[in-house]
Amino acid sequence: MSIGDAVYDDRDTGMMLSAPGCNAGDPESKRVTNWQRRNPNGVAKLVCGNSQFGWRHIAGRHGQDYQNIVTKYRLGRSWDDFAKWAMSTTVGAPQAAPVRNNNTWGYTAPIQIKNKQGQVVRTYSMLVSVSRSDEKIITAFPR
């Protein structure tokens, strides 16, 4: 259910950030974007999903984490643009991508936040979980 820009999940009484590009009537399988994966190679498919996986899950469960970084470091972009950039960077040039016990690859990579002088002021470790069976992104968040 959505009210204005807020999206509510029937299974969750808390407010979620909306998932730009995924309207209330869009199916879970609607493709938001694809990124080329490296090591192992393939495609990482970002689909609308639901509260358990995909873009809606990322927006609802981790969107505020991305928004906090964008706000704190005045990155001058929306949370969702930053999240997509961080995900694409992580799956495109991972530091590691081990197989996890839930049948996913756990792509990780450092995401550096730099000041105007180009100095690193903070490094986050991104995790992007990609299903081994259908290459859909399950979740993605900075740590």
Side-chain angles (χ1 to χ4, degrees):
M1 161 177 77
S2 63
I3 301 171
D5 288 339
V7 176
Y8 298 88
D9 186 320
D10 296 340
R11 295 166 283 198
D12 184 358
T13 58
M15 190 171 75
M16 303 170 57
L17 290 178
S18 64
C22 296
N23 297 316
D26 289 340
E28 291 179 2
S29 60
K30 179 183 175 187
R31 186 83 42 92
V32 176
T33 192
N34 288 338
W35 294 297
Q36 185 65 43
R37 294 184 293 113
R38 302 277 185 254
N39 303 321
N41 293 341
V43 177
K45 302 171 186 174
L46 183 61
V47 298
C48 286
N50 58 37
S51 65
Q52 303 300 307
F53 77 96
W55 193 221
R56 287 180 177 126
H57 165 78
I58 294 166
R61 187 86 186 265
H62 307 292
Q64 192 62 52
D65 298 330
Y66 293 107
Q67 182 62 59
N68 292 344
I69 294 169
V70 166
T71 301
K72 181 176 182 174
Y73 298 103
R74 298 183 183 130
L75 299 182
R77 56 186 356 181
S78 65
W79 77 266
D80 56 296
D81 283 343
F82 175 66
K84 289 176 183 173
W85 170 82
M87 286 186 276
S88 68
T89 299
T90 300
V91 299
Q95 189 173 50
V99 173
R100 300 168 67 204
N101 60 5
N102 61 353
N103 203 29
T104 63
W105 287 291
Y107 285 85
T108 59
I111 298 296
Q112 295 180 334
I113 307 298
K114 297 180 180 181
N115 63 18
K116 291 180 181 180
Q117 293 75 37
Q119 300 164 318
V120 175
V121 294
R122 176 72 194 265
T123 300
Y124 290 90
S125 176
M126 273 294 295
L127 171 68
V128 180
S129 180
V130 178
S131 169
R132 292 182 67 206
S133 63
D134 59 11
E135 298 185 303
K136 290 179 185 168
I137 295 175
I138 306 301
T139 193
F141 54 89
R143 308 182 272 182

mmCIF file of all heavy atoms in Angstrom, residues 12 15-19 46 50-70 78-80 82-84 86-87 100 124-129 137-143:
data_model
loop_
_atom_site.group_PDB
_atom_site.id
_atom_site.type_symbol
_atom_site.label_atom_id
_atom_site.label_comp_id
_atom_site.label_asym_id
_atom_site.label_seq_id
_atom_site.Cartn_x
_atom_site.Cartn_y
_atom_site.Cartn_z
ATOM 1 N N ASP A 12 4.786 -5.451 7.351
ATOM 2 C CA ASP A 12 5.657 -4.593 8.145
ATOM 3 C C ASP A 12 4.890 -3.329 8.479
ATOM 4 O O ASP A 12 4.406 -2.654 7.588
ATOM 5 C CB ASP A 12 6.914 -4.260 7.339
ATOM 6 C CG ASP A 12 7.927 -3.450 8.127
ATOM 7 O OD1 ASP A 12 7.662 -3.100 9.285
ATOM 8 O OD2 ASP A 12 8.984 -3.173 7.562
ATOM 9 N N MET A 15 7.405 2.435 8.214
ATOM 10 C CA MET A 15 7.431 3.132 6.935
ATOM 11 C C MET A 15 8.667 2.730 6.143
ATOM 12 O O MET A 15 9.715 2.468 6.705
ATOM 13 C CB MET A 15 7.449 4.640 7.168
ATOM 14 C CG MET A 15 7.238 5.425 5.899
ATOM 15 S SD MET A 15 7.009 7.166 6.206
ATOM 16 C CE MET A 15 8.655 7.659 6.585
ATOM 17 N N MET A 16 8.520 2.688 4.815
ATOM 18 C CA MET A 16 9.626 2.344 3.924
ATOM 19 C C MET A 16 9.850 3.509 2.970
ATOM 20 O O MET A 16 8.919 4.222 2.628
ATOM 21 C CB MET A 16 9.266 1.114 3.082
ATOM 22 C CG MET A 16 8.897 -0.123 3.843
ATOM 23 S SD MET A 16 8.212 -1.411 2.766
ATOM 24 C CE MET A 16 9.513 -1.650 1.593
ATOM 25 N N LEU A 17 11.074 3.675 2.487
ATOM 26 C CA LEU A 17 11.311 4.591 1.390
ATOM 27 C C LEU A 17 10.758 3.940 0.134
ATOM 28 O O LEU A 17 10.786 2.718 -0.008
ATOM 29 C CB LEU A 17 12.804 4.853 1.210
ATOM 30 C CG LEU A 17 13.500 5.677 2.280
ATOM 31 C CD1 LEU A 17 14.989 5.789 1.968
ATOM 32 C CD2 LEU A 17 12.891 7.044 2.397
ATOM 33 N N SER A 18 10.245 4.738 -0.780
ATOM 34 C CA SER A 18 9.743 4.164 -2.025
ATOM 35 C C SER A 18 10.918 3.719 -2.888
ATOM 36 O O SER A 18 12.045 4.190 -2.716
ATOM 37 C CB SER A 18 8.884 5.181 -2.773
ATOM 38 O OG SER A 18 9.655 6.294 -3.155
ATOM 39 N N ALA A 19 10.644 2.808 -3.786
ATOM 40 C CA ALA A 19 11.665 2.273 -4.691
ATOM 41 C C ALA A 19 11.452 2.935 -6.056
ATOM 42 O O ALA A 19 10.604 2.485 -6.826
ATOM 43 C CB ALA A 19 11.543 0.757 -4.796
ATOM 44 N N LEU A 46 18.682 -6.257 -11.114
ATOM 45 C CA LEU A 46 17.920 -5.559 -10.085
ATOM 46 C C LEU A 46 16.473 -5.497 -10.553
ATOM 47 O O LEU A 46 16.169 -4.859 -11.565
ATOM 48 C CB LEU A 46 18.473 -4.158 -9.831
ATOM 49 C CG LEU A 46 17.782 -3.363 -8.726
ATOM 50 C CD1 LEU A 46 17.894 -4.071 -7.374
ATOM 51 C CD2 LEU A 46 18.367 -1.957 -8.641
ATOM 52 N N ASN A 50 10.080 -7.504 -3.702
ATOM 53 C CA ASN A 50 9.086 -7.261 -2.656
ATOM 54 C C ASN A 50 9.831 -6.918 -1.362
ATOM 55 O O ASN A 50 10.991 -6.542 -1.420
ATOM 56 C CB ASN A 50 8.166 -8.480 -2.496
ATOM 57 C CG ASN A 50 8.931 -9.752 -2.150
ATOM 58 O OD1 ASN A 50 9.907 -9.737 -1.402
ATOM 59 N ND2 ASN A 50 8.505 -10.871 -2.711
ATOM 60 N N SER A 51 9.188 -7.081 -0.223
ATOM 61 C CA SER A 51 9.864 -6.724 1.030
ATOM 62 C C SER A 51 10.986 -7.691 1.397
ATOM 63 O O SER A 51 11.773 -7.408 2.294
ATOM 64 C CB SER A 51 8.852 -6.655 2.176
ATOM 65 O OG SER A 51 8.303 -7.931 2.421
ATOM 66 N N GLN A 52 11.089 -8.821 0.690
ATOM 67 C CA GLN A 52 12.104 -9.827 1.002
ATOM 68 C C GLN A 52 13.324 -9.793 0.084
ATOM 69 O O GLN A 52 14.374 -10.315 0.443
ATOM 70 C CB GLN A 52 11.483 -11.226 0.941
ATOM 71 C CG GLN A 52 10.300 -11.401 1.861
ATOM 72 C CD GLN A 52 10.657 -11.185 3.313
ATOM 73 O OE1 GLN A 52 11.591 -11.806 3.801
ATOM 74 N NE2 GLN A 52 9.946 -10.314 3.994
ATOM 75 N N PHE A 53 13.190 -9.225 -1.116
ATOM 76 C CA PHE A 53 14.310 -9.178 -2.056
ATOM 77 C C PHE A 53 14.093 -8.058 -3.066
ATOM 78 O O PHE A 53 12.984 -7.562 -3.244
ATOM 79 C CB PHE A 53 14.484 -10.515 -2.791
ATOM 80 C CG PHE A 53 13.479 -10.730 -3.898
ATOM 81 C CD1 PHE A 53 13.804 -10.422 -5.211
ATOM 82 C CD2 PHE A 53 12.218 -11.215 -3.627
ATOM 83 C CE1 PHE A 53 12.879 -10.608 -6.236
ATOM 84 C CE2 PHE A 53 11.293 -11.410 -4.637
ATOM 85 C CZ PHE A 53 11.619 -11.104 -5.945
ATOM 86 N N GLY A 54 15.163 -7.682 -3.748
ATOM 87 C CA GLY A 54 15.076 -6.718 -4.847
ATOM 88 C C GLY A 54 15.044 -5.269 -4.392
ATOM 89 O O GLY A 54 15.336 -4.934 -3.241
ATOM 90 N N TRP A 55 14.678 -4.406 -5.327
ATOM 91 C CA TRP A 55 14.726 -2.960 -5.134
ATOM 92 C C TRP A 55 13.775 -2.504 -4.035
ATOM 93 O O TRP A 55 14.102 -1.620 -3.254
ATOM 94 C CB TRP A 55 14.431 -2.286 -6.457
ATOM 95 C CG TRP A 55 14.712 -0.824 -6.573
ATOM 96 C CD1 TRP A 55 13.915 0.081 -7.207
ATOM 97 C CD2 TRP A 55 15.842 -0.065 -6.104
ATOM 98 N NE1 TRP A 55 14.471 1.342 -7.155
ATOM 99 C CE2 TRP A 55 15.663 1.266 -6.481
ATOM 100 C CE3 TRP A 55 16.985 -0.407 -5.406
ATOM 101 C CZ2 TRP A 55 16.575 2.272 -6.181
ATOM 102 C CZ3 TRP A 55 17.906 0.593 -5.093
ATOM 103 C CH2 TRP A 55 17.690 1.920 -5.485
ATOM 104 N N ARG A 56 12.588 -3.098 -3.962
ATOM 105 C CA ARG A 56 11.656 -2.714 -2.890
ATOM 106 C C ARG A 56 12.244 -3.076 -1.514
ATOM 107 O O ARG A 56 12.112 -2.309 -0.563
ATOM 108 C CB ARG A 56 10.307 -3.381 -3.101
ATOM 109 C CG ARG A 56 9.522 -2.771 -4.263
ATOM 110 C CD ARG A 56 8.184 -3.460 -4.459
ATOM 111 N NE ARG A 56 7.422 -2.818 -5.517
ATOM 112 C CZ ARG A 56 6.924 -3.466 -6.560
ATOM 113 N NH1 ARG A 56 7.082 -4.784 -6.690
ATOM 114 N NH2 ARG A 56 6.238 -2.804 -7.475
ATOM 115 N N HIS A 57 12.857 -4.227 -1.414
ATOM 116 C CA HIS A 57 13.504 -4.614 -0.152
ATOM 117 C C HIS A 57 14.639 -3.648 0.186
ATOM 118 O O HIS A 57 14.737 -3.176 1.321
ATOM 119 C CB HIS A 57 14.057 -6.042 -0.243
ATOM 120 C CG HIS A 57 15.026 -6.353 0.849
ATOM 121 N ND1 HIS A 57 14.627 -6.650 2.138
ATOM 122 C CD2 HIS A 57 16.384 -6.368 0.861
ATOM 123 C CE1 HIS A 57 15.699 -6.843 2.888
ATOM 124 N NE2 HIS A 57 16.781 -6.687 2.139
ATOM 125 N N ILE A 58 15.474 -3.354 -0.787
ATOM 126 C CA ILE A 58 16.612 -2.457 -0.551
ATOM 127 C C ILE A 58 16.112 -1.086 -0.119
ATOM 128 O O ILE A 58 16.619 -0.507 0.846
ATOM 129 C CB ILE A 58 17.517 -2.376 -1.800
ATOM 130 C CG1 ILE A 58 18.175 -3.740 -2.050
ATOM 131 C CG2 ILE A 58 18.565 -1.280 -1.646
ATOM 132 C CD1 ILE A 58 18.807 -3.896 -3.422
ATOM 133 N N ALA A 59 15.105 -0.552 -0.804
ATOM 134 C CA ALA A 59 14.555 0.758 -0.447
ATOM 135 C C ALA A 59 13.977 0.747 0.963
ATOM 136 O O ALA A 59 14.253 1.641 1.770
ATOM 137 C CB ALA A 59 13.478 1.169 -1.450
ATOM 138 N N GLY A 60 13.193 -0.276 1.265
ATOM 139 C CA GLY A 60 12.521 -0.327 2.555
ATOM 140 C C GLY A 60 13.421 -0.650 3.720
ATOM 141 O O GLY A 60 13.264 -0.101 4.814
ATOM 142 N N ARG A 61 14.359 -1.517 3.502
ATOM 143 C CA ARG A 61 15.198 -1.990 4.609
ATOM 144 C C ARG A 61 16.509 -1.220 4.725
ATOM 145 O O ARG A 61 17.044 -1.059 5.812
ATOM 146 C CB ARG A 61 15.478 -3.473 4.397
ATOM 147 C CG ARG A 61 16.193 -4.153 5.512
ATOM 148 C CD ARG A 61 15.224 -4.652 6.581
ATOM 149 N NE ARG A 61 15.935 -5.177 7.712
ATOM 150 C CZ ARG A 61 16.227 -6.451 7.901
ATOM 151 N NH1 ARG A 61 15.848 -7.345 7.009
ATOM 152 N NH2 ARG A 61 16.882 -6.833 8.955
ATOM 153 N N HIS A 62 17.061 -0.755 3.590
ATOM 154 C CA HIS A 62 18.391 -0.147 3.606
ATOM 155 C C HIS A 62 18.447 1.257 2.991
ATOM 156 O O HIS A 62 19.497 1.887 3.014
ATOM 157 C CB HIS A 62 19.383 -1.057 2.878
ATOM 158 C CG HIS A 62 19.374 -2.450 3.398
ATOM 159 N ND1 HIS A 62 19.819 -2.771 4.663
ATOM 160 C CD2 HIS A 62 18.946 -3.607 2.838
ATOM 161 C CE1 HIS A 62 19.664 -4.077 4.858
ATOM 162 N NE2 HIS A 62 19.143 -4.606 3.765
ATOM 163 N N GLY A 63 17.337 1.725 2.437
ATOM 164 C CA GLY A 63 17.318 3.043 1.804
ATOM 165 C C GLY A 63 17.767 4.153 2.730
ATOM 166 O O GLY A 63 18.498 5.059 2.325
ATOM 167 N N GLN A 64 17.342 4.072 3.990
ATOM 168 C CA GLN A 64 17.739 5.101 4.949
ATOM 169 C C GLN A 64 19.240 5.084 5.206
ATOM 170 O O GLN A 64 19.845 6.129 5.419
ATOM 171 C CB GLN A 64 16.964 4.946 6.259
ATOM 172 C CG GLN A 64 17.120 6.137 7.179
ATOM 173 C CD GLN A 64 16.573 7.418 6.569
ATOM 174 O OE1 GLN A 64 15.432 7.472 6.118
ATOM 175 N NE2 GLN A 64 17.404 8.458 6.531
ATOM 176 N N ASP A 65 19.867 3.903 5.135
ATOM 177 C CA ASP A 65 21.322 3.826 5.294
ATOM 178 C C ASP A 65 22.023 4.626 4.200
ATOM 179 O O ASP A 65 22.976 5.369 4.464
ATOM 180 C CB ASP A 65 21.809 2.376 5.240
ATOM 181 C CG ASP A 65 21.235 1.519 6.350
ATOM 182 O OD1 ASP A 65 20.950 2.053 7.444
ATOM 183 O OD2 ASP A 65 21.065 0.305 6.119
ATOM 184 N N TYR A 66 21.548 4.451 2.955
ATOM 185 C CA TYR A 66 22.117 5.209 1.836
ATOM 186 C C TYR A 66 21.819 6.698 2.003
ATOM 187 O O TYR A 66 22.689 7.540 1.775
ATOM 188 C CB TYR A 66 21.556 4.712 0.505
ATOM 189 C CG TYR A 66 21.982 3.316 0.136
ATOM 190 C CD1 TYR A 66 21.092 2.251 0.208
ATOM 191 C CD2 TYR A 66 23.282 3.052 -0.296
ATOM 192 C CE1 TYR A 66 21.476 0.967 -0.138
ATOM 193 C CE2 TYR A 66 23.680 1.769 -0.640
ATOM 194 C CZ TYR A 66 22.766 0.731 -0.561
ATOM 195 O OH TYR A 66 23.159 -0.534 -0.902
ATOM 196 N N GLN A 67 20.577 7.032 2.402
ATOM 197 C CA GLN A 67 20.207 8.438 2.591
ATOM 198 C C GLN A 67 21.084 9.087 3.652
ATOM 199 O O GLN A 67 21.501 10.234 3.492
ATOM 200 C CB GLN A 67 18.731 8.555 2.983
ATOM 201 C CG GLN A 67 18.267 9.998 3.148
ATOM 202 C CD GLN A 67 18.389 10.792 1.860
ATOM 203 O OE1 GLN A 67 17.788 10.433 0.858
ATOM 204 N NE2 GLN A 67 19.162 11.871 1.870
ATOM 205 N N ASN A 68 21.378 8.368 4.719
ATOM 206 C CA ASN A 68 22.227 8.922 5.782
ATOM 207 C C ASN A 68 23.620 9.273 5.262
ATOM 208 O O ASN A 68 24.181 10.306 5.628
ATOM 209 C CB ASN A 68 22.336 7.939 6.949
ATOM 210 C CG ASN A 68 21.025 7.767 7.689
ATOM 211 O OD1 ASN A 68 20.098 8.567 7.552
ATOM 212 N ND2 ASN A 68 20.937 6.702 8.465
ATOM 213 N N ILE A 69 24.170 8.439 4.402
ATOM 214 C CA ILE A 69 25.497 8.712 3.827
ATOM 215 C C ILE A 69 25.429 9.922 2.907
ATOM 216 O O ILE A 69 26.270 10.820 2.984
ATOM 217 C CB ILE A 69 26.025 7.473 3.072
ATOM 218 C CG1 ILE A 69 26.287 6.329 4.057
ATOM 219 C CG2 ILE A 69 27.299 7.817 2.286
ATOM 220 C CD1 ILE A 69 26.549 4.992 3.398
ATOM 221 N N VAL A 70 24.423 9.954 2.046
ATOM 222 C CA VAL A 70 24.257 11.076 1.111
ATOM 223 C C VAL A 70 24.120 12.390 1.878
ATOM 224 O O VAL A 70 24.739 13.399 1.521
ATOM 225 C CB VAL A 70 23.028 10.837 0.195
ATOM 226 C CG1 VAL A 70 22.628 12.091 -0.538
ATOM 227 C CG2 VAL A 70 23.309 9.704 -0.780
ATOM 228 N N SER A 78 20.666 11.777 -5.122
ATOM 229 C CA SER A 78 19.612 11.104 -4.376
ATOM 230 C C SER A 78 20.135 9.799 -3.788
ATOM 231 O O SER A 78 21.127 9.243 -4.270
ATOM 232 C CB SER A 78 18.418 10.825 -5.293
ATOM 233 O OG SER A 78 18.793 9.905 -6.307
ATOM 234 N N TRP A 79 19.466 9.303 -2.762
ATOM 235 C CA TRP A 79 19.894 8.053 -2.129
ATOM 236 C C TRP A 79 19.896 6.923 -3.140
ATOM 237 O O TRP A 79 20.784 6.081 -3.126
ATOM 238 C CB TRP A 79 19.017 7.709 -0.916
ATOM 239 C CG TRP A 79 17.680 7.140 -1.289
ATOM 240 C CD1 TRP A 79 16.503 7.833 -1.442
ATOM 241 C CD2 TRP A 79 17.382 5.780 -1.594
ATOM 242 N NE1 TRP A 79 15.508 6.981 -1.826
ATOM 243 C CE2 TRP A 79 16.014 5.708 -1.923
ATOM 244 C CE3 TRP A 79 18.137 4.604 -1.620
ATOM 245 C CZ2 TRP A 79 15.382 4.519 -2.277
ATOM 246 C CZ3 TRP A 79 17.507 3.413 -1.978
ATOM 247 C CH2 TRP A 79 16.145 3.384 -2.296
ATOM 248 N N ASP A 80 18.888 6.907 -4.026
ATOM 249 C CA ASP A 80 18.780 5.791 -4.963
ATOM 250 C C ASP A 80 19.855 5.843 -6.041
ATOM 251 O O ASP A 80 20.365 4.797 -6.457
ATOM 252 C CB ASP A 80 17.375 5.686 -5.571
ATOM 253 C CG ASP A 80 16.918 6.949 -6.253
ATOM 254 O OD1 ASP A 80 16.769 7.975 -5.573
ATOM 255 O OD2 ASP A 80 16.708 6.905 -7.483
ATOM 256 N N PHE A 82 22.880 7.047 -5.519
ATOM 257 C CA PHE A 82 24.065 6.599 -4.795
ATOM 258 C C PHE A 82 24.038 5.087 -4.597
ATOM 259 O O PHE A 82 25.044 4.407 -4.806
ATOM 260 C CB PHE A 82 24.172 7.326 -3.449
ATOM 261 C CG PHE A 82 25.297 6.831 -2.593
ATOM 262 C CD1 PHE A 82 26.619 7.004 -2.985
ATOM 263 C CD2 PHE A 82 25.043 6.179 -1.401
ATOM 264 C CE1 PHE A 82 27.669 6.535 -2.198
ATOM 265 C CE2 PHE A 82 26.078 5.708 -0.607
ATOM 266 C CZ PHE A 82 27.396 5.887 -1.004
ATOM 267 N N ALA A 83 22.886 4.541 -4.212
ATOM 268 C CA ALA A 83 22.761 3.092 -3.996
ATOM 269 C C ALA A 83 23.056 2.324 -5.277
ATOM 270 O O ALA A 83 23.802 1.336 -5.262
ATOM 271 C CB ALA A 83 21.363 2.755 -3.481
ATOM 272 N N LYS A 84 22.508 2.774 -6.391
ATOM 273 C CA LYS A 84 22.738 2.079 -7.666
ATOM 274 C C LYS A 84 24.204 2.169 -8.077
ATOM 275 O O LYS A 84 24.770 1.191 -8.568
ATOM 276 C CB LYS A 84 21.821 2.640 -8.754
ATOM 277 C CG LYS A 84 20.368 2.248 -8.551
ATOM 278 C CD LYS A 84 19.488 2.909 -9.601
ATOM 279 C CE LYS A 84 18.032 2.598 -9.379
ATOM 280 N NZ LYS A 84 17.177 3.369 -10.292
ATOM 281 N N ALA A 86 26.771 2.449 -6.026
ATOM 282 C CA ALA A 86 27.521 1.580 -5.116
ATOM 283 C C ALA A 86 27.333 0.108 -5.488
ATOM 284 O O ALA A 86 28.292 -0.670 -5.464
ATOM 285 C CB ALA A 86 27.091 1.837 -3.671
ATOM 286 N N MET A 87 26.113 -0.282 -5.858
ATOM 287 C CA MET A 87 25.864 -1.671 -6.254
ATOM 288 C C MET A 87 26.603 -2.019 -7.538
ATOM 289 O O MET A 87 27.248 -3.069 -7.633
ATOM 290 C CB MET A 87 24.362 -1.919 -6.434
ATOM 291 C CG MET A 87 23.610 -2.006 -5.133
ATOM 292 S SD MET A 87 21.867 -2.462 -5.387
ATOM 293 C CE MET A 87 21.160 -0.871 -5.730
ATOM 294 N N ARG A 100 27.800 -17.940 -0.492
ATOM 295 C CA ARG A 100 27.318 -17.952 0.887
ATOM 296 C C ARG A 100 26.395 -19.151 1.090
ATOM 297 O O ARG A 100 25.917 -19.746 0.129
ATOM 298 C CB ARG A 100 26.621 -16.630 1.166
ATOM 299 C CG ARG A 100 27.603 -15.461 0.966
ATOM 300 C CD ARG A 100 26.946 -14.116 0.946
ATOM 301 N NE ARG A 100 26.407 -13.824 2.265
ATOM 302 C CZ ARG A 100 25.410 -12.988 2.459
ATOM 303 N NH1 ARG A 100 24.823 -12.375 1.450
ATOM 304 N NH2 ARG A 100 24.965 -12.752 3.674
ATOM 305 N N TYR A 124 33.285 2.656 3.315
ATOM 306 C CA TYR A 124 32.244 1.703 3.673
ATOM 307 C C TYR A 124 32.531 0.396 2.941
ATOM 308 O O TYR A 124 33.091 0.398 1.849
ATOM 309 C CB TYR A 124 30.859 2.211 3.248
ATOM 310 C CG TYR A 124 30.385 3.380 4.054
ATOM 311 C CD1 TYR A 124 30.676 4.681 3.667
ATOM 312 C CD2 TYR A 124 29.644 3.189 5.221
ATOM 313 C CE1 TYR A 124 30.239 5.765 4.418
ATOM 314 C CE2 TYR A 124 29.209 4.265 5.975
ATOM 315 C CZ TYR A 124 29.508 5.549 5.565
ATOM 316 O OH TYR A 124 29.087 6.614 6.316
ATOM 317 N N SER A 125 32.123 -0.688 3.538
ATOM 318 C CA SER A 125 32.214 -1.986 2.878
ATOM 319 C C SER A 125 30.821 -2.324 2.369
ATOM 320 O O SER A 125 29.888 -2.484 3.148
ATOM 321 C CB SER A 125 32.687 -3.051 3.865
ATOM 322 O OG SER A 125 32.691 -4.308 3.227
ATOM 323 N N MET A 126 30.679 -2.383 1.064
ATOM 324 C CA MET A 126 29.389 -2.709 0.457
ATOM 325 C C MET A 126 29.226 -4.214 0.374
ATOM 326 O O MET A 126 30.181 -4.937 0.097
ATOM 327 C CB MET A 126 29.316 -2.153 -0.966
ATOM 328 C CG MET A 126 28.832 -0.740 -1.074
ATOM 329 S SD MET A 126 27.113 -0.507 -0.591
ATOM 330 C CE MET A 126 26.249 -1.458 -1.840
ATOM 331 N N LEU A 127 28.011 -4.683 0.581
ATOM 332 C CA LEU A 127 27.652 -6.071 0.336
ATOM 333 C C LEU A 127 26.493 -6.077 -0.642
ATOM 334 O O LEU A 127 25.498 -5.382 -0.434
ATOM 335 C CB LEU A 127 27.223 -6.788 1.614
ATOM 336 C CG LEU A 127 26.625 -8.176 1.391
ATOM 337 C CD1 LEU A 127 27.674 -9.157 0.881
ATOM 338 C CD2 LEU A 127 25.973 -8.699 2.649
ATOM 339 N N VAL A 128 26.642 -6.827 -1.723
ATOM 340 C CA VAL A 128 25.566 -7.042 -2.683
ATOM 341 C C VAL A 128 25.388 -8.553 -2.795
ATOM 342 O O VAL A 128 26.297 -9.258 -3.210
ATOM 343 C CB VAL A 128 25.869 -6.432 -4.070
ATOM 344 C CG1 VAL A 128 24.714 -6.682 -5.027
ATOM 345 C CG2 VAL A 128 26.165 -4.942 -3.949
ATOM 346 N N SER A 129 24.212 -9.014 -2.414
ATOM 347 C CA SER A 129 23.907 -10.438 -2.435
ATOM 348 C C SER A 129 23.152 -10.757 -3.723
ATOM 349 O O SER A 129 22.092 -10.187 -3.985
ATOM 350 C CB SER A 129 23.056 -10.790 -1.211
ATOM 351 O OG SER A 129 22.752 -12.151 -1.196
ATOM 352 N N ILE A 137 19.389 -9.603 -7.673
ATOM 353 C CA ILE A 137 19.947 -9.021 -6.458
ATOM 354 C C ILE A 137 18.938 -9.198 -5.333
ATOM 355 O O ILE A 137 17.783 -8.800 -5.458
ATOM 356 C CB ILE A 137 20.298 -7.535 -6.664
ATOM 357 C CG1 ILE A 137 21.430 -7.419 -7.695
ATOM 358 C CG2 ILE A 137 20.676 -6.877 -5.337
ATOM 359 C CD1 ILE A 137 21.781 -5.997 -8.079
ATOM 360 N N ILE A 138 19.384 -9.819 -4.272
ATOM 361 C CA ILE A 138 18.531 -10.050 -3.111
ATOM 362 C C ILE A 138 18.532 -8.831 -2.206
ATOM 363 O O ILE A 138 17.487 -8.322 -1.810
ATOM 364 C CB ILE A 138 19.004 -11.280 -2.305
ATOM 365 C CG1 ILE A 138 19.122 -12.519 -3.196
ATOM 366 C CG2 ILE A 138 18.094 -11.530 -1.107
ATOM 367 C CD1 ILE A 138 17.850 -12.939 -3.894
ATOM 368 N N THR A 139 19.729 -8.353 -1.885
ATOM 369 C CA THR A 139 19.869 -7.192 -1.017
ATOM 370 C C THR A 139 21.188 -6.504 -1.311
ATOM 371 O O THR A 139 22.075 -7.086 -1.964
ATOM 372 C CB THR A 139 19.783 -7.577 0.479
ATOM 373 O OG1 THR A 139 19.632 -6.394 1.262
ATOM 374 C CG2 THR A 139 20.983 -8.385 0.935
ATOM 375 N N ALA A 140 21.341 -5.280 -0.830
ATOM 376 C CA ALA A 140 22.584 -4.523 -0.989
ATOM 377 C C ALA A 140 22.594 -3.423 0.065
ATOM 378 O O ALA A 140 21.614 -2.700 0.197
ATOM 379 C CB ALA A 140 22.677 -3.920 -2.383
ATOM 380 N N PHE A 141 23.710 -3.338 0.782
ATOM 381 C CA PHE A 141 23.792 -2.307 1.811
ATOM 382 C C PHE A 141 25.231 -1.992 2.168
ATOM 383 O O PHE A 141 26.110 -2.840 2.037
ATOM 384 C CB PHE A 141 23.006 -2.711 3.063
ATOM 385 C CG PHE A 141 23.386 -4.041 3.623
ATOM 386 C CD1 PHE A 141 24.402 -4.177 4.559
ATOM 387 C CD2 PHE A 141 22.708 -5.190 3.218
ATOM 388 C CE1 PHE A 141 24.740 -5.423 5.077
ATOM 389 C CE2 PHE A 141 23.036 -6.427 3.734
ATOM 390 C CZ PHE A 141 24.057 -6.552 4.665
ATOM 391 N N PRO A 142 25.460 -0.757 2.640
ATOM 392 C CA PRO A 142 26.794 -0.363 3.101
ATOM 393 C C PRO A 142 26.962 -0.755 4.567
ATOM 394 O O PRO A 142 26.006 -0.751 5.341
ATOM 395 C CB PRO A 142 26.761 1.168 2.962
ATOM 396 C CG PRO A 142 25.319 1.524 3.160
ATOM 397 C CD PRO A 142 24.528 0.370 2.609
ATOM 398 N N ARG A 143 28.204 -1.137 4.911
ATOM 399 C CA ARG A 143 28.484 -1.478 6.320
ATOM 400 C C ARG A 143 29.651 -0.638 6.792
ATOM 401 O O ARG A 143 30.468 -0.205 6.057
ATOM 402 C CB ARG A 143 28.860 -2.946 6.473
ATOM 403 C CG ARG A 143 27.887 -3.878 5.839
ATOM 404 C CD ARG A 143 28.287 -5.300 6.058
ATOM 405 N NE ARG A 143 29.184 -5.698 4.962
ATOM 406 C CZ ARG A 143 29.683 -6.894 4.832
ATOM 407 N NH1 ARG A 143 29.430 -7.821 5.692
ATOM 408 N NH2 ARG A 143 30.459 -7.215 3.838
#
